Amino acid sequence: MPLKEKRRMTMHGLSRWGVVLTACLGAALTTSGGDKFVLVREGTDQAPIIVAQDATPFTRIAAGELAGFIEKISGARPMILEEMPDPLPERAIWIGLQPFFRKIFPDTDFELRHAEEILIVADGRNLVIAGRDIWDPQNHVRQLSRGRTVENVQREYGTVNAIYTFVQDFLDVRWLWPGSLGEDIPQRATIEFAPFEYRYHPQFRGRIGLFSRCSLAKEGFRTASADQNWARYQRLLFDSLDIPGGHAYGDWWERFHETHPEYLALQPD
């Protein structure tokens, strides 16, 4: 993805855990001034990852990978929860948008107005990793050639790309080339952050282009290759603008090299 761009922008399609739940959380979840958010402390005491109940399948996959990278860095693997815990944890990593975030972060704009916009925000108790997700769970299968299909296709994968952005830009993980040998993972027993807010939306919505052999359309995510994984981590795989291409103009030399040479590459002679 391009370089960071800190702007106050957007958010679309809030997750739904209900008005009652929002009211209950209003008193329980509050900001805590300038305290640091401690993701892991000395290899233990890790904050759990709480995934929105209406999260997409690819978001759940990315949340599992987030836990895996935290474990590789610190030796501690966060618990992944897909239901609201009772009692609430002292600290938590929230994946996907929730209505009650407005109470936790009253000064943060949770409207995602731009395509694929992501928002990562932390205070002393809560870390939110979310993005604009657009998909239809009743219409998520893409038909490919030769009778093949890809399932769980989204129009926008904001939260998925937000997770991999967090892993790269805030956990300092690098994927230099496909495969485990290309992973550069720092080692630190404590992972913590001062309060911050980061938002971004990509300037290029069609990104798989030159890496089309890594796209979901090749074999589908069920048989993901190392190349496909690398494209996913680089935020190339889950783009929102499909630009189909192919080979063409193969007969233009014969047709036009005499009548319209300007159509063709100009040679030194």
Side-chain angles (χ1 to χ4, degrees), residues 119-178:
L119 173 63
I120 307 173
V121 57
D123 65 3
R125 295 185 59 182
N126 304 285
L127 169 65
V128 173
I129 304 175
R132 196 167 94 161
D133 296 322
I134 298 180
W135 86 308
D136 180 359
Q138 305 301 319
N139 184 24
H140 63 85
V141 178
R142 178 182 297 175
Q143 298 294 328
L144 306 176
S145 61
R146 301 176 184 174
R148 295 182 294 115
T149 60
V150 175
E151 298 180 355
N152 302 318
V153 174
Q154 300 174 214
R155 286 176 53 199
E156 294 184 25
Y157 303 79
T159 301
V160 173
N161 288 329
I163 290 172
Y164 298 128
T165 297
F166 176 78
V167 173
Q168 175 175 290
D169 292 353
F170 294 88
L171 299 183
D172 299 321
V173 173
R174 296 293 182 268
W175 303 281
L176 304 178
W177 57 80

Side-chain angles (χ1 to χ4, degrees), residues 164-227:
Y164 298 128
T165 297
F166 176 78
V167 173
Q168 175 175 290
D169 292 353
F170 294 88
L171 299 183
D172 299 321
V173 173
R174 296 293 182 268
W175 303 281
L176 304 178
W177 57 80
S180 59
L181 289 178
E183 285 187 348
D184 179 28
I185 299 178
Q187 302 295 301
R188 56 181 187 267
T190 296
I191 304 173
E192 60 184 13
F193 304 98
F196 71 90
E197 178 180 319
Y198 170 77
R199 64 178 70 236
Y200 174 81
H201 68 278
Q203 306 305 299
F204 293 93
R205 291 181 54 196
R207 300 184 295 275
I208 197 64
L210 295 176
F211 303 94
S212 60
R213 70 188 184 92
C214 305
S215 69
L216 284 176
K218 290 304 180 183
E219 293 297 336
F221 193 76
R222 289 171 295 182
T223 57
S225 64
D227 291 345

Side-chain angles (χ1 to χ4, degrees), residues 14-263:
L14 290 174
S15 304
R16 298 173 180 81
W17 267 338
V19 175
V20 175
L21 176 60
T22 302
C24 294
L25 286 168
L29 295 175
T30 59
T31 56
S32 53
D35 295 342
K36 288 187 176 181
F37 176 81
V38 180
L39 196 155
V40 177
R41 180 183 288 111
E42 294 300 327
T44 60
D45 193 24
Q46 61 270 32
I49 296 172
I50 304 176
V51 182
Q53 286 186 325
D54 63 352
T56 68
F58 283 122
T59 295
R60 297 178 189 279
I61 291 172
E65 291 189 309
L66 170 62
F69 283 116
I70 292 172
E71 182 179 23
K72 289 180 180 180
I73 294 169
S74 67
R77 184 179 182 88
M79 182 184 303
I80 298 177
L81 306 176
E82 296 189 358
E83 294 184 359
M84 187 64 66
D86 185 16
L88 291 172
E90 178 185 354
R91 308 183 315 281
I93 304 167
W94 302 91
I95 301 297
L97 292 174
Q98 310 296 336
F100 58 82
F101 289 167
R102 300 179 192 278
K103 293 183 178 295
I104 306 174
F105 298 96
D107 297 326
T108 297
D109 181 5
F110 282 97
E111 292 297 327
L112 300 179
R113 303 175 181 87
H114 298 266
E116 300 189 61
E117 187 170 359
I118 67 172
L119 173 63
I120 307 173
V121 57
D123 65 3
R125 295 185 59 182
N126 304 285
L127 169 65
V128 173
I129 304 175
R132 196 167 94 161
D133 296 322
I134 298 180
W135 86 308
D136 180 359
Q138 305 301 319
N139 184 24
H140 63 85
V141 178
R142 178 182 297 175
Q143 298 294 328
L144 306 176
S145 61
R146 301 176 184 174
R148 295 182 294 115
T149 60
V150 175
E151 298 180 355
N152 302 318
V153 174
Q154 300 174 214
R155 286 176 53 199
E156 294 184 25
Y157 303 79
T159 301
V160 173
N161 288 329
I163 290 172
Y164 298 128
T165 297
F166 176 78
V167 173
Q168 175 175 290
D169 292 353
F170 294 88
L171 299 183
D172 299 321
V173 173
R174 296 293 182 268
W175 303 281
L176 304 178
W177 57 80
S180 59
L181 289 178
E183 285 187 348
D184 179 28
I185 299 178
Q187 302 295 301
R188 56 181 187 267
T190 296
I191 304 173
E192 60 184 13
F193 304 98
F196 71 90
E197 178 180 319
Y198 170 77
R199 64 178 70 236
Y200 174 81
H201 68 278
Q203 306 305 299
F204 293 93
R205 291 181 54 196
R207 300 184 295 275
I208 197 64
L210 295 176
F211 303 94
S212 60
R213 70 188 184 92
C214 305
S215 69
L216 284 176
K218 290 304 180 183
E219 293 297 336
F221 193 76
R222 289 171 295 182
T223 57
S225 64
D227 291 345
Q228 212 169 52
N229 292 337
W230 180 85
R232 188 168 82 258
Y233 299 150
Q234 303 295 340
R235 279 80 80 204
L236 300 173
L237 181 65
F238 293 133
D239 56 1
S240 62
L241 181 60
D242 186 17
I243 306 177
H247 300 282
Y249 312 110
D251 61 347
W252 274 38
W253 170 257
E254 290 79 8
R255 292 172 59 191
F256 301 117
H257 76 279
E258 293 182 350
T259 58
H260 289 283
E262 71 275 12
Y263 290 179

